Amino acid sequence: MEIELRLKIEDLFARYVHCLDDDRLEEWPEFFVEEGRYRVTTAENLERNLPLPIIYADSRAMMRDRVAALRQANIYEPQRYRHTVSSLLINRVDAGSVRAVSNFHVVRVMQTGDSMLFATGRYLDRVRIEGEGGLPQFEERVVVLDSRAIDTLLAIPL
Amino acid sequence: MEIELRLKIEDLFARYVHCLDDDRLEEWPEFFVEEGRYRVTTAENLERNLPLPIIYADSRAMMRDRVAALRQANIYEPQRYRHTVSSLLINRVDAGSVRAVSNFHVVRVMQTGDSMLFATGRYLDRVRIEGEGGLPQFEERVVVLDSRAIDTLLAIPL
Amino acid sequence: MEIELRLKIEDLFARYVHCLDDDRLEEWPEFFVEEGRYRVTTAENLERNLPLPIIYADSRAMMRDRVAALRQANIYEPQRYRHTVSSLLINRVDAGSVRAVSNFHVVRVMQTGDSMLFATGRYLDRVRIEGEGGLPQFEERVVVLDSRAIDTLLAIPL
């Protein structure tokens, strides 16, 4: 049972990553429950309990708006991410949900071919095990960046 | 059953990576079925459906030739790779084989000690579940590089 | 059974990584058996069989001393690591222990916000399956760095 649970969470994480790295941003909100929360912050802000996330959404509707804005405004240079995610730890919260921690390295690849290590950090998640369609979904995903020195034009969700 | 399948594929991927990173290139063709295909291309070429892979082999014999050439010609500077691979997704094709997608970051380490993030991208695989010796083997491994700006002396398989 | 074993080892590795990346260094020795050995060396030294590790400890007591020294001397610039670990291979040694190999990429983040790919390499481990509290513990962890060109002020364990 615990093994199946673990593999379901790993599968969720892998689908999430490929959705972003394939630039299928319109599908991104579907990884969350309807009232799901998404936040990008820095380790420093988290430690000091500063309430200023870099990106914030507290519903799928808000996430959809964000994606629509990204597509329409098109302010950012064409770019892609490539994630690696590892070191997943899972803790049960209750019968219906788990907390998870994992590490990520994200490389950003520009259309010119330049690529760079763009962001590193942790995902702090709360996952509903049986979301829509029986698949797990994020109740909350907090992206904790290690460095505050990140491109302020940060646009694509991480 | 699906859990065992997943772990078999993960094991294949890990053995493949350590084979390359340990510079045991002579063993590399054995990860493929006899008529296996190996291709390195770029995301751009794949999207535009351009047929020009950077590296191409459509049999183990061709892969062995490539390794022999690398060993004899010895044109490249001594170097090693270090892969991290993650975000594996598996889909059954039929009773005997699966398709898989995964992400990689590869660092290249020169003999001088210099190291750099060398390549990032996706593996698009078709795997025969019960290959020789009962172990899974690649029917096809397509290495899709994120950036076309890669060292054209690319030599060691990825 | 083998699946459970694999997941226990993966869990050990993930807890180890988060302990270091969260700067909970005081907990680090507890990942080892009492007489556990920890060694950081380079691929070059390992191949030439040179006996000079960069860091060495052959008991938890020695590891605790090292952490205490790090905390008191405080000679190094504030910094954090962010690991990704992948490509785990496990081999049984006997009923009570396994050998494991895995790959890592470690990014170092300075308090200034600068971050860099700091170290890549392999973990070569011997793990006691049922350590204290029923959890697996390292009998030996050898960190094999790919490059000798590493910051000689290497301080935090990897």
Side-chain angles (χ1 to χ4, degrees), chain C residues 9 58 68 79 107:
Chain C
I9 305 292
D58 64 2
Q79 55 188 256
V107 168

Side-chain angles (χ1 to χ4, degrees), chain C residues 2-68:
Chain C
E2 288 305 312
I3 293 171
E4 270 175 59
L5 175 59
R6 188 188 173 85
L7 294 181
K8 278 177 81 165
I9 305 292
E10 283 185 3
D11 185 68
L12 170 70
F13 280 34
R15 287 184 290 113
Y16 180 98
V17 155
H18 289 291
C19 168
L20 294 181
D21 293 0
D22 290 352
D23 194 34
R24 292 180 277 113
L25 302 186
E26 285 72 14
E27 299 173 25
W28 169 66
E30 311 308 317
F31 288 97
F32 292 81
V33 300
E34 187 61 50
E35 71 287 16
R37 289 180 304 281
Y38 176 77
R39 192 152 51 102
V40 179
T41 187
T42 63
E44 197 183 5
N45 280 11
L46 197 75
E47 269 166 33
R48 296 188 186 178
N49 225 354
L50 294 178
L52 295 168
I54 298 169
I55 300 181
Y56 183 81
D58 64 2
S59 69
R60 282 211 297 234
M62 233 172 122
M63 295 179 209
R64 284 190 201 106
D65 284 352
R66 184 175 176 86
V67 171

Side-chain angles (χ1 to χ4, degrees), chain B:
Chain B
M1 219 282 296
E2 287 305 311
I3 293 171
E4 268 173 59
L5 175 60
R6 188 187 172 84
L7 294 180
K8 278 177 80 166
I9 305 292
E10 283 185 3
D11 186 67
L12 170 69
F13 280 33
R15 287 184 291 112
Y16 180 97
V17 155
H18 288 291
C19 167
L20 294 181
D21 292 0
D22 292 350
D23 194 34
R24 292 180 277 111
L25 302 186
E26 285 71 14
E27 299 173 24
W28 169 66
E30 310 308 317
F31 288 97
F32 293 80
V33 299
E34 187 60 50
E35 71 286 16
R37 289 180 303 281
Y38 176 78
R39 193 153 50 103
V40 180
T41 187
T42 63
E44 195 183 4
N45 280 10
L46 197 74
E47 269 166 34
R48 295 190 188 176
N49 225 353
L50 295 178
L52 295 168
I54 298 168
I55 300 182
Y56 182 80
D58 64 2
S59 70
R60 282 210 297 235
M62 233 172 124
M63 296 179 209
R64 283 189 202 107
D65 284 352
R66 182 172 178 89
V67 171
L70 283 174
R71 294 298 194 198
Q72 285 155 19
N74 207 14
I75 50 165
Y76 62 90
E77 267 192 280
Q79 56 187 256
R80 289 285 179 92
Y81 289 159
R82 184 64 55 199
H83 289 70
T84 54
V85 177
S86 83
S87 306
L88 171 63
L89 288 178
I90 297 174
N91 284 298
R92 278 233 177 230
V93 179
D94 54 41
S97 59
V98 297
R99 288 200 180 279
V101 187
S102 55
N103 274 0
F104 64 82
H105 288 177
V106 175
V107 169
R108 187 173 66 172
V109 186
M110 308 308 284
Q111 211 168 39
T112 57
D114 286 343
S115 68
M116 61 171 298
L117 182 65
F118 176 63
T120 66
R122 277 173 297 161
Y123 288 121
L124 303 182
D125 301 311
R126 187 172 165 128
V127 178
R128 186 173 300 169
I129 300 168
E130 300 264 343
E132 291 154 31
L135 291 172
Q137 285 180 308
F138 293 107
E139 293 176 349
E140 182 176 71
R141 165 148 271 197
V142 182
V143 183
V144 186
L145 301 170
D146 289 321
S147 173
R148 65 199 146 155
I150 199 160
D151 189 337
T152 50
L153 287 175
L154 174 68
I156 306 175
L158 279 159

Side-chain angles (χ1 to χ4, degrees), chain A residues 3 6-7 10 47 84-90 101-105 117 120-122 144 146-149, chain C residues 3-4 7 10-11 14-15 17-18 21-22 80 82-85 105-107 109 111-114 116-117:
Chain A
I3 293 171
R6 186 185 174 85
L7 294 181
E10 283 185 5
E47 271 166 33
T84 54
V85 177
S86 83
S87 304
L88 171 63
L89 287 178
I90 297 173
V101 187
S102 56
N103 274 359
F104 64 81
H105 287 176
L117 182 64
T120 66
R122 276 173 298 161
V144 186
D146 289 321
S147 173
R148 65 197 146 156
Chain C
I3 293 171
E4 270 175 59
L7 294 181
E10 283 185 3
D11 185 68
R15 287 184 290 113
V17 155
H18 289 291
D21 293 0
D22 290 352
R80 289 286 179 92
R82 184 64 54 199
H83 289 71
T84 54
V85 177
H105 287 177
V106 175
V107 168
V109 185
Q111 211 168 39
T112 56
D114 286 344
M116 61 170 298
L117 182 64

Side-chain angles (χ1 to χ4, degrees), chain A residues 29-40:
Chain A
E30 310 308 317
F31 287 96
F32 292 80
V33 299
E34 187 60 50
E35 71 286 18
R37 290 180 303 281
Y38 176 77
R39 192 152 52 102
V40 180

